[in-house]
Amino acid sequence: MTTIDYPELYIGGGWSRPATSDRIQVTSPTTEEVIGSVPAGSTQDVDRAVAAARAAFDDPQGWSTWEPKQRAEVLERFASELEARAGELSRRVSMQNGMPIWLAEQFEGGFPPVLLRYFSDLMVNAPDVDSRPGMLGGTALVRRRPIGVVGAIVPWNVPQAISFLKLAPALAAGCTVVIKPAEETVLDAFLTAEAAAAAGLPDGVLNIVPGGRDTGAYLVEHPDIDKVSFTGSTAAGRKIAETCGRLLRPVTLELGGKSAAILLDDVDLSASMESLFGATLLNNGQICWLNTRVLAPTSRYDEVVDALTGLASSLTVGDPLDPETKIGPLVSSRQRDRVEGYIAKGKAEGGRMTTGGKRPSSVDAGWFVEPTIFADVDNNATISREEIFGPVLSVIPFRDEAEALAIANDSEYGLGGTVWSADVDHAADIAAKVKSGTVGVNHYTNEPVAPFGGIKNSGMGRELGPEGLHAFQHLHTVYLPPAG
């Protein structure tokens, strides 16, 4: 097959030679063949990218000083250029990380333009100044200003949507950005660069430097970075938080999860299966907010186990570019080994595997694991405590709603969650008691207008909603004297 290869990096508004000859090779998780390559960013490349972003931000007539409507016009062109490339963006993501193409078309092709337009509209409609009568006789004028140069680090699981959780509000606010995509998913990031160039995004406003952990660490601690936004593992997030704390640098962290789906005793299982799939096994289990603990009432426990077993065993496993595929491969052989290790641990600790647990016989290559259901486990099992990041669910029984809440809240994570019931109002009351940043009722969807993020080991700060915009702004106050 023809590979997708880029010789240069996107820095300062154009394509430029990298500082070294090192390259990142991208391997298909479906065929295990090399499908493309890009330059590996070095510390020198990060320096150039940050310098370009700094110059663009500090320009007295530059991006940060433009009226929101001016920036919105450019971001509308950016959204249109992304839409023109949506099919290829979706295909590249699917080829790189195994995301089923129908899902990539929604998340990776469809969501970024929505976010660009949403945050642009927020800025255009935001008041320029908040004038507050003072208690001491004067007036306080409060304004929101762009925070500066942003270092954004993005994971491989939903690379385009997560990139624009950061890019859209940062750019709308007037910030400039250096983004480091994950090594597994770089080909889509370079297509985004092409869209930015075609849209006429000013030089230095967006810079893309791919690389590994060392590149990311160098970006985080770079002296000319004003704000860090990171999505990834809790372990990496802790290190970034430590660095930013020492530097007194603002940081947003969206980290791991081990969310719970609480199925109340009146849940309509047959009507909920499609939405339950979306909340538990979407993207081959490779999403941080997925509800990989399913809590079922003892009165219906066997029924729930049977229903989930039937769902998992019916899902088509195969080539993610096939529109009929529901479960594609995991992103890498290392990730497959990790997931298989957890499956082995689940069995060793006494869990009853009702379906899955092995590599599918229907494929000859690729890093596939069948969707797997474990019954007869409690909340203390390793597979109930630790984030697996694969298509593995633990079904845990509860006696009453109080115990269900106790189990759901007994986790070091707090990112997502759902409550399922025929009574939406009652489910919403239960959802309000779940200790998590977000909870869905009878479904789970990241709604652009509402803040998304976690508590506990799932991170700090919020993306999406006005709160997601405010994360890329700082407050500036002017005190006016009393009249006369």
Side-chain angles (χ1 to χ4, degrees), residues 75 78-80 82-83 108-118 164:
L75 295 181
F78 193 11
S80 296
L82 288 170
E83 286 175 330
E108 307 294 80
F111 206 43
V114 169
L115 294 178
L116 284 170
R117 291 173 176 133
Y118 169 71
F164 280 87

Side-chain angles (χ1 to χ4, degrees), residues 89-338:
L89 277 166
S90 302
R91 189 181 75 91
R92 289 191 186 185
V93 171
S94 184
M95 289 169 58
Q96 293 172 106
N97 71 1
M99 180 184 291
I101 188 64
W102 57 269
L103 182 62
E105 289 168 353
Q106 297 175 41
F107 279 11
E108 307 294 80
F111 206 43
V114 169
L115 294 178
L116 284 170
R117 291 173 176 133
Y118 169 71
F119 284 108
S120 292
D121 287 347
L122 277 185
M123 277 300 301
V124 167
N125 294 309
D128 179 62
V129 61
D130 178 10
S131 179
R132 304 177 186 178
M135 297 176 65
L136 305 178
T139 301
L141 303 180
V142 182
R143 293 179 173 87
R144 291 187 179 274
R145 298 300 192 210
I147 205 165
V149 178
V150 175
I153 300 176
V154 178
W156 48 258
N157 61 323
V158 192
Q160 282 297 299
I162 292 175
S163 290
F164 280 87
L165 291 181
K166 307 172 191 313
L167 286 179
L171 297 178
C175 298
T176 59
V177 182
V178 178
I179 191 165
K180 188 203 81 66
E183 292 174 294
E184 294 86 351
T185 47
V186 289
L187 303 178
D188 55 298
F190 278 58
L191 193 58
T192 295
E194 293 177 16
L201 211 63
D203 294 354
V205 170
L206 173 61
N207 309 271
I208 299 176
V209 183
R213 293 178 180 178
D214 290 346
T215 306
Y218 187 76
L219 177 63
V220 166
E221 59 190 19
H222 197 286
D224 265 337
I225 291 293
D226 298 307
K227 153 87 182 186
V228 172
S229 182
F230 170 79
T231 299
S233 72
T234 297
R238 287 187 188 281
K239 294 179 181 178
I240 290 171
E242 290 171 0
T243 299
C244 290
R246 172 171 49 82
L247 297 172
L248 298 180
R249 180 166 295 167
V251 61
T252 298
L253 301 171
E254 197 270 281
L255 308 176
K258 192 67 183 179
S259 304
I262 302 174
L263 277 55
L264 300 183
D265 56 12
D266 65 345
V267 62
D268 185 339
L269 280 177
S270 60
S272 302
M273 280 297 106
E274 183 176 350
S275 294
L276 265 172
F277 165 73
T280 58
L281 292 167
L282 203 65
N283 197 24
N284 320 327
Q286 298 178 140
I287 299 180
C288 49
W289 49 254
L290 285 177
N291 298 192
T292 53
R293 293 181 296 151
V294 179
L295 314 188
T298 53
S299 61
R300 301 184 63 184
Y301 184 78
D302 291 342
E303 181 187 357
V304 170
V305 169
D306 289 346
L308 290 173
T309 300
L311 169 66
S313 60
S314 71
L315 298 173
T316 301
V317 179
D319 184 351
L321 292 176
D322 183 342
E324 298 302 314
T325 293
K326 291 295 186 288
I327 300 290
L330 299 175
V331 70
S332 64
S333 59
R334 181 177 64 180
Q335 187 64 19
R336 182 179 63 181
D337 290 345
R338 170 186 168 88

Side-chain angles (χ1 to χ4, degrees), residues 342-407:
Y342 275 108
I343 291 171
K345 189 165 290 188
K347 292 191 288 186
E349 292 181 0
R352 175 168 60 93
M353 195 172 65
T354 64
T355 190
K358 61 184 185 300
R359 302 176 186 182
S361 58
S362 57
V363 296
D364 298 324
W367 299 310
F368 292 89
V369 173
E370 293 177 339
T372 303
I373 307 297
F374 275 99
D376 301 340
V377 294
D378 62 24
N379 203 47
N380 294 315
T382 301
I383 58 172
S384 303
R385 306 299 299 181
E386 298 182 10
E387 185 176 41
I388 299 173
F389 230 59
V392 181
L393 305 182
S394 301
V395 189
I396 302 169
F398 65 84
R399 292 184 297 272
D400 54 33
E401 291 177 358
E403 185 179 34
L405 278 168
I407 294 171

